[in-house]
Amino acid sequence: MAMKIEQIEGRLLLKKPKIIDPLNETETIKDVMLVDGKIEEIGIIEAGNDINFIDCDGLILTHGFCDLHVHFRDPGNGDKETMESGCESALAGGFTRVCTMPNTEPPIDSPELISYIIENTKKMPVHVHPIGSVTKGQAGSEISEMGLMIDSGAVAFSDDGLPIQNGLVMRKALEYSKMFNVPIINHAEDDCLRANGLMNEGIVSTKLGLSGNPNIAESIMVFRDLKLAELTGAQLHVPHVSTAESVQYISDMKNQYNEITAEVTPHHLFYTDEALYDYDTNFKVAPPIRDIRSRWALIQGIKDGIIDCIATDHAPHTSHDKDTTFDLASCGLIGLESCLGVVKKVLVDDEDLGLMEMIKLLTVSPRKIMGFDNDLLKEGKEAELVLFNEEKKWVFNKNDINSKSKNSPFIDAQLSGKVIHTISKGVIATN
Amino acid sequence: MFDHRHLISLEKFPKKDIQQIIDTAFNFKEVLERPIKKVPSLQGKTIVNLFFENSTRTRISFELAQKRLSADTVNFSASTSSLKKGESFKDTAQNIEAMKIDAVVMRHPSPGAPYQLKKFINAQIINAGDGTHEHPTQAILDMMSIQEKFGKIKDLNIAIIGDIYHSRVARSNIYGLVTMGANVTLCGPPNLVPKEISELGVNVNYNIDEVIEWADAVNILRIQRERMGIGLIPSSREYRRLFGVTYERMSRRDKELVIMHPGPMNRGVEIDSEVADSEQAIILEQVLNGVASRMSILYLLLGAKEEDGDEN
């Protein structure tokens, strides 16, 4: 069933949702009155029958989700995704705010290109924050105009997709970024050790004859980045942590230096490399999906607070990019629309994490990393909210995907917890 | 009852079915010894040999097997195809299938390519080698040759020597031999033997002298020249010194050691000429058994089923 997006005109009453406020860690059942997309009142609201309302009995109302790591492919690859289709995919997944990675064509490495993204997404129903590239052309050698990009609206810097191999460049970029109080996000994979590995190195890659990308290709660069952050006093955010060793290094560093944050993806939490036995190219992703030991370490890392947040690394690719042999297929998978259902299933249903804790991973934690406003459930604020059914078991269906690309490894997977409405920038989206 | 639609991998391939392929191959070998070496078993069937990677002997072996079974065959190789014009693997495969064919024998440089092919087309698929994954028909002919020589496979000590990491022959042999009850030892430079591979039920020993002493037969893998020069093997002379099956090593034993090689050989590197040409080598017998094995596989996959009216 296609998602519906409507302008909120006048008053809209959200009747009796369970309101979970992840900032103040409270849970109440109250009504919420929206007027022209703003929160007018939260409380017990007696309203006449003529008012527009949504019966939210049994639904959870909380902050709209925030994803620090998406690829919307604009400019350059409108066949994979556009700002519009990306925002629709975000709304369908309960996201009201996303940070777009700069590995587009051309890469977002100048204030003009940051402005292009800001201007192009002003009218979109989701808040889109561009991340600028750390180095010019994402070439990994010269640092880009970070200051001018910040002035134009960049919220962080990353050469995502292209790890910064040169330790000196990484050090200088971290040092330079200290003026701006924004995180540097380095896709941590040592190119030499990765050695064109197509999947996680282990017994499964040995059986499949696919070249292996070992844990150490990631963890050794995570270790380098952590030490450089400590040395320089800069802010480092580690994206898509995939290995047990990286979790350990981040944990160790957090004990002595606290400008470190880290994210994990839903697919690294949900799957292990055994999912690759059919050579399904939708499982080809960098860093690769690891073995069960790393999967447990990621889950434990979330429970222990070592991992700060969930980010989807939403990476659309066309069927043409994926319907080929495993070595030639593009890396990446879409993740916005399946995110809640995956994360709720793994962390809450299977691993007994509290729902409040899970919600924080998608709301206040990522917002805090980027310095976004976190006090959303307040009268007078623009409504940036999600309503979801916590109990709903559902099957992720290819035909329901709103993203332009359908490269999801979750197609036909049984998920738990479903977004029903997303309220953002004056619209309400209904799944 | 042989209930398989494709032959892509020997992992989890049932023992009785491997035995049936081998037994049937011996029957076809007898046909190959006749003056008229042709039977009508696959008359009316069309098989495409889809080779995305250079191959001489495997392609000829398949083609002969098909002709001996009276199938119609078409050869397609990447060098003469539209792939050079940028056509995708999927489009190529679907175009070929649109011409109404029954089966595809495919060699492809990418591991797992037959699994993608299975999604794109409905024809039956025989894997003639997919990158560094598997080469099941080679393993069948190797096992047939072992059974022919020893009268059995079970409990024999079989060594596979060489670059295990990149070898599809090794993987298929490991699955097949372990399933058939042989003891398998892998021998090669540690950086070319994946450390997890012992989980497949094999032993690993880096000392070739011990391995030769232990083995009833050694299957010697071709060392690919392209592996040298990227730091995996320092030189061919060092490889020969550490892992070459030399005449001295072979003759140090008091009992016979059966010598196998899937070809093509690098004489003087992984195998000495005196070894390759010795009485103990069954390398040319393997080549003939290759035709018989492939006849057996094609017959069991494409031909035998119709008699049960079971076309899947």
Side-chain angles (χ1 to χ4, degrees):
Chain A
M1 214 168 46
M3 181 182 58
K4 218 168 49 186
I5 303 179
E6 297 159 292
Q7 284 290 327
I8 305 175
E9 279 162 22
R11 296 155 83 80
L12 176 65
L13 178 65
L14 308 177
K15 260 187 165 169
K16 297 210 166 25
K18 186 202 272 186
I19 302 177
I20 297 189
D21 181 345
L23 181 66
N24 300 305
E25 302 195 23
T26 57
E27 257 188 58
T28 49
I29 294 181
K30 279 184 185 159
D31 307 312
V32 177
M33 178 68 84
L34 305 179
V35 177
D36 296 330
K38 280 191 177 156
I39 299 176
E40 190 190 61
E41 189 186 350
I42 302 173
I44 308 298
I45 300 169
E46 299 294 334
N49 289 336
D50 53 342
I51 193 165
N52 272 334
F53 73 91
I54 297 172
D55 180 4
C56 301
D57 190 26
L59 297 184
I60 289 176
L61 175 78
T62 188
H63 292 186
F65 302 149
C66 172
D67 191 344
L68 302 188
H69 196 143
V70 301
H71 301 269
F72 280 180
R73 307 297 188 208
D74 183 9
N77 282 298
D79 56 334
K80 295 175 195 258
E81 195 81 288
T82 60
M83 285 299 174
E84 201 165 6
S85 65
C87 286
E88 282 172 17
S89 187
L91 284 180
F95 291 87
T96 56
R97 205 168 276 265
V98 298
C99 301
T100 52
M101 282 295 175
N103 59 337
T104 48
E105 281 181 35
I108 307 301
D109 66 350
S110 70
E112 290 78 10
L113 285 160
I114 295 286
S115 298
Y116 167 84
I117 305 241
I118 301 270
E119 288 304 315
N120 259 13
T121 56
K122 262 190 184 152
K123 295 212 166 67
M124 298 288 164
V126 169
H127 297 273
V128 177
H129 299 276
I131 294 171
S133 69
V134 178
T135 63
K136 289 176 185 159
Q138 291 195 299
S141 48
E142 289 173 60
I143 55 175
S144 56
E145 295 168 325
M146 291 188 200
L148 296 177
M149 284 196 275
I150 292 274
D151 288 347
S152 297
V155 292
F157 297 100
S158 175
D159 280 358
D160 189 62
L162 296 168
I164 299 171
Q165 299 298 321
N166 185 320
L168 180 62
V169 171
M170 185 63 183
R171 177 192 170 160
K172 294 299 179 193
L174 284 164
E175 276 173 338
Y176 194 75
S177 72
K178 283 171 67 181
M179 290 187 280
F180 314 117
N181 292 317
V182 296
I184 298 285
I185 305 170
N186 184 33
H187 179 140
E189 281 191 296
D190 181 301
D191 267 351
C192 292
L193 284 169
R194 178 166 63 177
N196 300 318
L198 297 169
M199 66 170 293
N200 180 54
E201 179 179 293
I203 182 64
V204 182
S205 68
T206 297
K207 284 186 181 182
L208 295 182
L210 290 170
S211 52
N213 175 345
N215 279 20
I216 198 170
E218 171 184 284
S219 62
I220 204 163
M221 191 174 273
V222 166
F223 186 78
R224 179 201 75 174
D225 291 347
L226 293 168
K227 291 307 246 183
L228 288 173
E230 182 191 34
L231 175 74
T232 58
Q235 202 180 324
L236 175 76
H237 176 69
V238 186
H240 42 52
V241 174
S242 73
T243 70
E245 294 79 6
S246 302
V247 174
Q248 185 61 51
Y249 296 154
I250 293 165
S251 170
D252 293 347
M253 183 54 77
K254 279 191 164 182
N255 288 329
Q256 52 199 93
Y257 179 68
N258 56 24
E259 293 296 310
I260 303 290
T261 54
E263 72 189 31
V264 68
T265 71
H267 50 276
H268 287 110
L269 290 174
F270 194 85
Y271 284 115
T272 66
D273 56 0
E274 302 209 355
L276 277 78
Y277 270 125
D278 291 334
Y279 296 87
D280 181 345
T281 56
N282 281 333
F283 288 93
K284 186 179 174 189
V285 63
I289 292 168
R290 303 289 182 182
D291 67 5
I292 187 77
R293 187 180 68 92
S294 281
R295 178 174 175 256
W296 287 130
L298 298 176
I299 292 168
Q300 195 57 45
I302 284 177
K303 288 182 171 174
D304 296 343
I306 296 159
I307 305 286
D308 300 86
C309 69
I310 303 287
T312 67
D313 194 3
H314 178 82
H317 288 294
T318 65
S319 60
H320 176 73
D321 299 323
K322 285 289 192 182
D323 278 352
T324 182
T325 51
F326 205 87
D327 54 345
L328 297 179
S330 300
C331 273
L333 51 95
I334 56 168
L336 287 164
E337 296 170 57
S338 48
C339 178
L340 174 70
V342 169
V343 168
K344 161 80 176 23
K345 181 173 198 302
V346 174
L347 295 180
V348 179
D349 295 7
D350 298 347
E351 297 301 326
D352 296 326
L353 189 79
L355 191 64
M356 175 73 76
E357 295 307 309
M358 185 211 77
I359 289 172
K360 284 190 198 168
L361 294 166
L362 290 164
T363 57
V364 289
S365 300
R367 283 171 176 269
K368 192 170 159 220
I369 292 168
M370 289 296 174
F372 299 149
D373 179 16
N374 243 336
D375 202 1
L376 300 184
L377 284 161
K378 236 182 170 172
E379 291 165 1
K381 290 276 169 124
E382 178 201 320
E384 227 191 301
L385 303 167
V386 62
L387 280 152
F388 68 86
N389 181 337
E390 139 188 44
E391 301 298 338
K392 176 84 175 169
K393 305 283 187 285
W394 58 297
V395 172
F396 190 71
N397 188 327
K398 186 174 183 178
N399 296 326
D400 294 340
I401 293 174
N402 290 278
S403 167
K404 223 173 164 183
S405 294
K406 316 295 170 198
N407 55 311
S408 168
F410 297 107
I411 289 167
D412 296 335
Q414 182 83 40
L415 306 180
S416 165
K418 192 170 195 316
V419 171
I420 308 298
H421 301 287
T422 308
I423 298 166
S424 174
K425 289 176 84 170
V427 305
I428 179 162
T430 307
N431 275 325
Chain B
M1 181 67 188
F2 187 84
D3 191 19
H4 297 273
R5 181 160 170 77
H6 312 289
L7 178 63
I8 295 177
S9 163
L10 287 187
E11 191 190 357
K12 297 179 186 145
F13 207 85
K15 184 175 178 173
K16 68 169 182 37
D17 296 336
I18 293 178
Q19 195 59 58
Q20 190 182 354
I21 297 174
I22 294 173
D23 293 344
T24 310
F26 282 115
N27 295 336
F28 281 117
K29 188 168 183 180
E30 201 189 316
V31 172
L32 295 174
E33 309 285 355
R34 295 180 196 160
I36 308 282
K37 303 174 180 60
K38 196 159 176 144
V39 288
S41 314
L42 294 189
Q43 211 158 40
K45 293 280 183 184
T46 306
I47 305 172
V48 176
N49 296 315
L50 198 52
F51 277 63
F52 293 93
E53 192 180 73
N54 284 338
S55 158
T56 311
R57 67 190 63 209
T58 304
R59 193 177 57 73
I60 290 175
S61 180
F62 265 110
E63 206 180 333
L64 268 176
Q66 291 153 2
K67 291 193 152 79
R68 303 286 189 230
L69 292 168
S70 307
D72 295 319
T73 68
V74 183
N75 292 322
F76 171 106
S77 59
S79 54
T80 60
S81 80
S82 47
L83 284 185
K84 280 197 167 165
K85 299 173 198 157
E87 187 179 55
S88 74
F89 173 47
K90 182 182 178 181
D91 288 339
T92 304
Q94 290 182 336
N95 269 281
I96 287 172
E97 174 157 70
M99 299 182 217
K100 303 290 174 202
I101 53 154
D102 298 296
V104 171
V105 172
M106 183 172 75
R107 167 162 294 189
H108 199 288
S110 172
Y115 294 89
Q116 322 294 348
L117 186 68
K118 209 164 71 172
K119 289 182 199 161
F120 303 152
I121 68 172
N122 293 314
Q124 291 181 262
I125 298 166
I126 295 117
N127 182 5
D130 60 330
T132 48
H133 177 225
E134 283 210 45
H135 193 355
T137 63
Q138 177 72 42
I140 296 285
L141 77 89
D142 288 343
M143 289 188 283
M144 176 190 180
S145 304
I146 289 168
Q147 181 166 328
E148 187 174 45
K149 186 76 194 175
F150 294 96
K152 63 167 188 175
I153 300 172
K154 194 173 186 306
D155 298 329
L156 289 176
N157 292 344
I158 311 291
I160 303 172
I161 300 172
D163 175 359
I164 308 297
Y165 189 101
H166 297 96
S167 177
R168 53 189 171 216
V169 176
R171 280 177 183 73
S172 290
N173 262 285
I174 289 167
Y175 292 133
L177 288 167
V178 170
T179 300
M180 300 310 284
N183 307 310
V184 179
T185 292
L186 309 178
C187 179
N191 59 354
L192 294 175
V193 182
K195 67 176 190 294
E196 298 83 3
I197 204 149
S198 51
E199 291 178 40
L200 303 183
V202 297
N203 304 305
V204 174
N205 188 342
Y206 307 128
N207 184 324
I208 191 162
D209 293 302
E210 287 176 18
V211 169
I212 285 180
E213 189 53 41
W214 168 86
D216 296 307
V218 291
N219 198 346
I220 305 163
L221 302 175
R222 169 183 167 75
I223 278 298
Q224 307 204 325
R225 301 260 170 197
E226 58 265 30
R227 306 285 173 236
M228 298 178 198
I230 53 166
L232 294 176
I233 297 169
S235 68
S236 47
R237 65 179 185 177
E238 174 148 326
Y239 185 83
R240 179 178 177 273
R241 167 71 188 81
L242 295 173
F243 296 102
V245 180
T246 61
Y247 184 72
E248 294 72 32
R249 283 184 168 130
M250 185 179 75
S251 48
R252 220 174 286 149
R253 283 169 51 114
D254 8 326
K255 56 176 181 170
E256 188 192 34
L257 175 69
V258 171
I259 304 290
M260 302 168 68
H261 194 299
M265 289 183 279
N266 290 306
R267 289 169 183 260
V269 186
E270 73 264 8
I271 185 167
D272 276 8
S273 273
E274 298 104 305
V275 176
D277 301 333
S278 70
E279 292 279 303
Q280 305 179 35
I282 58 168
I283 296 167
L284 292 175
E285 208 57 36
Q286 286 176 271
V287 176
L288 177 61
N289 289 342
V291 179
S293 294
R294 287 168 180 127
M295 287 174 79
S296 164
I297 290 159
L298 290 166
Y299 169 74
L300 289 170
L301 286 175
L302 278 88
K305 277 197 183 134
E306 277 184 2
E307 290 154 26
D308 319 320
D310 173 18
E311 264 281 34
N312 284 340

